[in-house]
Amino acid sequence: MSATDTPTSTKGQSSDVLVARVAALEAALFTSRERVAELERERDTLRASYDRLRLDLELMRRRIFVAKAERIDTAQLELEFADKLAALDALSAMLDGNASGDDDQTGPPAKPARKKPVGRRNLREADLPEERIELSDPTLDAMVARGEAERIGFEESCKLGWKRGGLRRIVVARVKYRIPGDVPETTTISTAPMPAETFVRSLAAPSLLARIAIDKYCDGLPLHRQEDRFARDGLRLDRGTMCRWMEDAGATAGATVIAAARTEALRTAFCIATDATGVAVQPLRDHNRRQPCRRGHYFVQIADRDHVFFEYTPKETSAVVAKLFEGFTGYVQADAKSVYDILFRPPEDPP
């Protein structure tokens, strides 16, 4: 063997070592990928099992809570419920462990910071036409005319109103008075009284409340579309606020209007068509004992083509029917249920 053959042999051995290392790395990479794929399949299987158990748990909970009303023995259901809950907790722990291993995170995720309350909205920041209403106290104005008091400014507050053409910012300016006493230390500051409000401290003036109610109940424009329209006009007024306004309006002015409409129907209607349907009324939650739903009834009454009333009653009896139609002298259209017989008895017959 000559001296020139030695480097060539060494170079060949180095190449073989590199090829072997590359092959080993490729084999390790292939094994790692297979392991990752296997772990992903296991994770998906656990998640699917978790979802199925969660649905089973929800069904079991519903069956247990309504079991008394449906007359089902709940002993076995409660045992199955406990087994499902334990399996669900185990799967949840496994999923949490996989998630913490993948993301290298410990502890629960941080909760987002709550927004700091900003208080009552400042309507002066809205780009709206403004109308000013100045209110004074006639008694104090007479004292000002006699020189016994003086005006020292206004106490201003803003409300949202509606006028043909769009929204308005209504500034209610109440005159402030300074009434000097016998000595300087006894000076009194008085302000003109606040006018009557539809809802106390409400942002909406009566004109805006009426506009929202007309658009919703007369023109069929839902609140989310009204919200979009107000946004185009440059004012952010969310549907939740408008919904609470309409609820308050229905519970106050609405009750008076419905009572008047019912009185008119009983006095002037030619025919009232009626029927009743049973409803389940959920009892108040009591953690010490389970309670079945109570039974209630809704009477629907259609007075000619003018009014439709929905009257809830705990019972459907002849006494209830007599009370509902007390004072009505027209025709009643009803089914043949015996509770309506009291309406067709001669006046001399006892109920």
Side-chain angles (χ1 to χ4, degrees):
M1 180 176 174
S2 62
T4 56
D5 294 338
T6 302
T8 304
S9 177
T10 303
K11 185 182 295 185
Q13 291 177 358
S14 301
S15 300
D16 293 341
V17 171
L18 291 175
V19 170
R21 288 181 178 178
V22 170
L25 290 175
E26 289 180 348
L29 179 61
F30 179 76
T31 304
S32 299
R33 288 178 176 174
E34 285 189 340
R35 179 57 178 167
V36 169
E38 181 181 355
L39 290 175
E40 289 180 348
R41 289 193 296 270
E42 183 179 357
R43 180 200 61 192
D44 295 340
T45 302
L46 287 174
R47 286 181 176 173
S49 300
Y50 178 83
D51 291 336
R52 288 195 299 270
L53 282 173
R54 184 172 55 82
L55 292 176
D56 291 343
L57 185 65
E58 183 64 26
L59 289 175
M60 202 72 65
R61 181 184 292 112
R62 291 176 181 272
R63 291 174 182 174
I64 288 176
F65 283 133
V66 301
K68 187 173 181 181
E70 297 179 356
R71 295 182 174 85
I72 294 178
D73 184 14
T74 62
Q76 186 62 33
L77 289 178
E78 290 178 354
L79 292 176
E80 294 180 10
F81 181 84
D83 294 339
K84 294 289 185 181
L85 182 59
L88 189 63
D89 291 340
L91 279 176
S92 179
M94 294 178 67
L95 287 175
D96 292 341
N98 290 338
S100 61
D102 294 340
D103 300 336
D104 294 332
Q105 295 179 354
T106 58
K111 295 182 179 180
R114 295 183 60 183
K115 293 184 178 179
K116 185 178 180 180
V118 295
R120 187 176 176 88
R121 182 185 306 185
N122 185 7
L123 293 179
R124 294 189 183 277
E125 298 176 355
D127 185 16
L128 297 173
E130 183 174 295
E131 293 187 2
R132 183 180 178 87
I133 301 175
E134 294 186 0
L135 302 175
S136 61
D137 190 324
T139 303
L140 295 176
D141 282 339
M143 295 178 63
V144 171
R146 296 193 300 266
E148 300 174 357
E150 63 174 327
R151 291 190 174 192
I152 58 173
F154 294 91
E155 180 74 26
E156 296 183 352
S157 60
C158 297
K159 288 185 176 293
L160 277 174
W162 180 274
K163 194 175 182 179
R164 180 175 294 180
L167 289 165
R168 296 290 188 273
R169 178 175 56 246
I170 301 176
V171 178
V172 180
R174 296 181 293 149
V175 179
K176 295 171 64 177
Y177 302 88
R178 179 166 55 217
I179 307 173
D182 297 334
V183 293
E185 290 77 7
T186 59
T187 300
T188 303
I189 305 298
S190 182
T191 306
M194 192 71 181
E197 296 181 292
T198 308
F199 307 129
V200 178
R201 296 186 58 81
S202 175
L203 195 67
S207 57
L208 180 61
L209 293 173
R211 178 68 183 185
I212 295 173
I214 289 173
D215 285 345
K216 177 173 175 58
Y217 298 107
C218 294
D219 298 336
L221 187 65
L223 295 180
H224 70 89
R225 298 192 184 278
Q226 296 193 46
E227 180 182 4
D228 295 339
R229 185 184 62 186
F230 287 133
R232 290 194 299 270
D233 291 340
L235 179 71
R236 183 181 58 83
L237 188 58
D238 62 278
R239 70 194 75 175
T241 300
M242 292 186 285
C243 183
R244 287 189 292 271
W245 289 346
M246 294 299 98
E247 181 182 9
D248 292 342
T252 53
T256 304
V257 172
I258 293 174
R262 179 171 174 78
T263 301
E264 179 190 16
L266 292 176
R267 187 180 69 252
T268 63
F270 173 76
C271 177
I272 296 180
T274 185
D275 196 7
T277 182
V279 294
V281 182
Q282 186 175 4
L284 295 176
R285 177 173 293 184
D286 187 351
H287 296 284
N288 297 324
R289 61 191 181 94
R290 294 195 298 269
Q291 303 179 70
C293 291
R294 294 184 291 106
R295 184 75 171 174
H297 303 272
Y298 262 109
F299 280 85
V300 183
Q301 298 170 298
I302 304 176
D304 296 340
R305 294 186 178 182
D306 300 327
H307 307 290
V308 179
F309 303 105
F310 297 87
E311 188 78 26
Y312 171 79
T313 61
K315 297 181 180 180
E316 185 185 9
T317 61
S318 297
V320 170
V321 172
K323 183 66 176 178
L324 288 176
F325 292 93
E326 185 178 5
F328 181 59
T329 58
Y331 291 90
V332 176
Q333 181 181 1
D335 57 25
K337 197 167 185 178
S338 60
V339 295
Y340 297 106
D341 292 348
I342 193 171
L343 301 177
F344 305 100
R345 292 173 182 166
E348 62 273 14
D349 289 354

